[in-house]
Amino acid sequence: RGAGTGGMDRNFTGVVDVASTVTSDAGGLRIAGTTSAESKYTLDNANINTPAFGTLSSTIVQEFIETIEVIEAGYDAEYGGAAGGQVRARRVGGTNNWRGTILLRVAPRIAQPRFISATDESLRVAEIADVNAQGVLQISGPIIKDKLYISLGVSPGGQRNTLIQSFYRRRDKDRSGGYEACPYENGTHDCAAGGNYIDTVQFAQQKFPTGRFDLQWSGTLDWQINQKHR
């Protein structure tokens, strides 16, 4: 726990990235030279692959995970259901001692955005990320010492953006009477000898706040039969 990997969202698979044979493709992680759809992910021994594509279906913050085991190749038949690797995660469980984690991750935009638009479109749209944040609260401990344990966690997160819409119109800059001879030209040269020079002019702009909010939560209840079985 507490590995410094995974970026802002700290998905538990960020820990898998440090394995020597792990790369990535459009669907996710590639383990031992296979595609992202050929590995098996389990959480507390439950399969969390998507039935449709075979890739990972759940994103879980690292603070909700106690241990992660990555078996890259050469495993026995007891680990079936995959041609690639095996990623076995176990959630945080309670113990006889109370413990917990509380943290906040914030990634603000520091510099002002620069817009470089090589287009002749009348509507130009840009979405600027202003701040990305995630909080985690996780606590675990005993209900009945040596018998019953509980672990609870909650992780709100999200991103705030600014959507900028700019509206442009064409302008007959040299007042030659039109630009029909070159309807798509927008540069520094005439598209017809001696005339028809055009450009675009912004006449309106509007801004909207946009973003996303997500909430993860986790809860476990462990019953210990004896010291070696729970």
Side-chain angles (χ1 to χ4, degrees), residues 2 9 23 29-30 32 36 41-42 51 112 123 126 137 144 199 224:
D9 292 329
T23 56
L29 299 179
R30 304 174 67 241
S36 57
Y41 296 86
T42 58
Q112 291 295 322
L123 173 60
L137 173 63
I144 302 176
D199 65 357
Q224 183 171 276

Side-chain angles (χ1 to χ4, degrees), residues 87-102:
V87 180
R88 299 164 54 83
R90 182 168 292 280
R91 287 183 294 179
V92 174
T95 65
N96 281 328
N97 297 316
W98 285 99
R99 58 177 179 168
T101 299
I102 182 170

